């Protein structure tokens, strides 16, 4: 089966399955968070899995999208236009700062991207006149339920957000898989394996890294806009260091080398804390133990490890 079609069918089936089995609005809310996280983590997979670059400042791009739909409507810009402007600003900033930053490698690159994320966080925190400062700001009302009602589909607000975030996540996954299987995607993977070898084959290594960085920034911005609109409120914490670490952790846990790893990692690290509320006092201990055990037993992430296990089982 064509990989792009396969990705569409799998992701769409998961979205539909969730809608069929969720018993209440709470579950639809968690499901929305899963798909929003899937979208942002898919961008991490493009950068980390395809090109092999680590960014610890991607929450900054996430926050750009989140604050774009919070700030611009107050100046008469429609939410849809603000959504696109946020993605354009995030992608443009990534292109602008990407070339000097991406000349670095290893932990130097990680620290540089961390610094970028911290700069964005500081701007959002200090410029209270525009962003509301540490207290955050209210996001103007936007309800996708009206979109579905316009075509004769009636549903609750939480259900509408679930479907909208699921649609965006499906589109994001399909585009990432299509990119990975295109000639340009193979060039990105060549850069992941060796800059020197890729350059000797005619790949513009610097351009490939910068473009992948910009693509991942756009993914993060779109996810940030969705979360901001869904919550109706936003704070500078969305640009915080721990949020960046969370996104990278989701990608690595699920398997950074595959887009399906973004789905699995997002599902686990979004849903598991909700499950562990029954042992609230030990929630972080159990969550940490699960993550450590998984990475020790499956170093490439859950999806590649399970795929290898299934292949071995079929060959026997």
């Amino acid at each position: 089966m064509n990989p792009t079609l396969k990705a569409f069918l799998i992701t769409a089936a998961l979205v539909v399955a969730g809608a069929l089995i969720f018993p209440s609005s709470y579950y639809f809310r968690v499901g929305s968070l899963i798909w929003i996280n899937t979208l942002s983590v898919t961008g991490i997979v493009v950068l980390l899995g395809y090109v092999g670059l680590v960014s610890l400042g991607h929450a900054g791009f996430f926050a750009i999208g989140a604050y774009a739909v919070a700030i611009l409507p107050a100046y008469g810009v429609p939410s849809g236009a603000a959504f696109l402007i946020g993605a354009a600003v995030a992608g443009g900033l990534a292109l602008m700062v990407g070339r000097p930053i991406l000349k670095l490698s290893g932990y130097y690159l990680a620290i540089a991207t961390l610094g970028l994320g911290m700069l964005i966080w500081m701007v959002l925190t200090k410029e209270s006149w525009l962003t509301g400062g540490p207290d955050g700001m209210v996001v103007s009302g936007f309800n996708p339920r009206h979109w579905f009602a316009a075509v004769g589909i009636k549903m609750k607000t939480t259900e509408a957000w679930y479907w909208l975030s699921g649609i965006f996540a499906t589109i994001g996954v399909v585009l990432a898989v299509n990119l990975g299987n295109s000639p340009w995607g193979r060039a990105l993977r060549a850069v992941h394996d060796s800059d020197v070898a890729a350059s000797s084959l005619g790949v513009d290594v610097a351009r490939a890294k910068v473009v992948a960085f910009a693509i991942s920034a756009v993914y993060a911005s779109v996810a940030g806009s969705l979360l901001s609109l869904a919550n109706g409120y936003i704070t500078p914490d969305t640009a915080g260091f721990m949020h960046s670490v969370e996104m990278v952790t989701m990608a690595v846990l699920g398997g950074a080398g595959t887009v399906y790893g973004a789905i699995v990692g997002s599902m686990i690290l979004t849903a598991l804390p909700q499950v562990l509320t029954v042992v609230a006092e030990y929630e972080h201990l159990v969550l940490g133990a699960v993550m450590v055990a998984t990475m020790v037993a499956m170093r490439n992430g859950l999806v590649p490890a399970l795929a290898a296990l299934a292949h071995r089982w079929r060959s026997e």
Side-chain angles (χ1 to χ4, degrees):
M1 184 184 294
N2 181 282
T4 303
L5 176 60
K6 180 180 178 182
F8 169 76
L9 293 176
I10 290 175
T11 311
L14 290 173
V15 173
V16 173
L20 292 176
I21 66 175
F22 289 157
S24 67
S25 296
Y26 169 77
Y27 290 90
F28 280 100
R29 166 63 179 167
V30 175
S32 299
L33 294 178
I34 288 174
W35 294 122
I36 291 172
N37 285 333
T38 294
L39 191 60
S40 62
V41 177
T42 299
I44 296 292
V45 168
V46 171
L47 186 64
L48 178 59
Y50 287 7
V51 190
L53 301 176
V54 179
S55 172
L56 295 180
H58 248 56
F61 298 121
F62 189 97
I64 287 175
Y67 274 88
V69 296
I71 295 172
L72 294 179
Y75 293 89
V77 179
S79 294
F83 191 97
L84 296 176
I85 291 172
V89 170
L93 179 61
L95 288 174
M96 183 175 66
V97 304
R99 189 166 290 272
I101 285 181
L102 298 178
K103 290 180 179 178
L104 304 172
S105 61
Y107 52 82
Y108 296 106
L109 174 62
I111 294 300
T113 55
L114 172 60
L116 175 62
M118 291 182 66
L119 284 173
I120 296 173
W121 175 83
M122 288 180 64
V123 170
L124 297 177
T125 303
K126 300 297 182 181
E127 301 301 321
S128 301
W129 64 275
L130 181 65
T131 66
D135 295 331
M137 62 186 302
V138 175
V139 182
S140 60
F142 173 81
N143 196 334
R145 182 179 64 179
H146 302 310
W147 287 4
F148 292 99
V151 294
I153 303 175
K154 295 182 179 180
M155 60 178 68
K156 297 180 180 178
T157 298
T158 51
E159 294 175 2
W161 273 114
Y162 173 82
W163 281 106
L164 185 63
S165 59
I167 289 170
F168 269 92
T170 301
I171 294 172
V173 167
V174 168
L175 291 176
V177 170
N178 189 61
L179 172 64
N181 289 280
S182 68
W184 180 246
R186 288 190 285 274
L188 295 180
R189 293 185 184 277
V191 173
H192 181 285
D193 294 333
S194 171
D195 286 8
V196 176
S199 181
S200 67
L201 294 173
V203 177
D204 187 336
V205 174
R207 179 170 176 264
K209 289 181 177 181
V210 171
V211 170
F213 192 53
I215 291 173
S216 63
V218 170
Y219 269 90
S221 175
V222 171
S225 295
L226 286 173
L227 182 66
S228 180
L229 291 169
N231 286 345
Y233 193 81
I234 199 69
T235 69
D237 288 342
T238 54
F241 168 66
M242 290 309 299
H243 189 200
S244 293
V245 171
E246 184 182 55
M247 287 192 286
V248 173
T249 303
M250 288 178 180
V252 173
L253 183 65
T258 171
V259 174
Y260 299 111
I263 300 175
V264 173
S266 298
M267 285 182 174
I268 293 174
L269 289 188
T270 304
L272 191 57
Q274 312 301 322
V275 176
L276 293 178
T277 53
V278 295
V279 287
E281 295 182 1
Y282 306 99
E283 176 184 339
H284 292 91
L285 177 63
V286 175
L287 184 59
V290 169
M291 291 171 59
V292 170
T294 301
M295 296 314 302
V296 168
M298 305 176 181
R299 296 185 180 181
N300 293 325
L302 280 166
V303 172
L306 294 176
L309 185 63
H311 177 73
R312 190 181 312 150
W313 179 76
R314 286 196 303 266
S315 63
E316 292 176 356

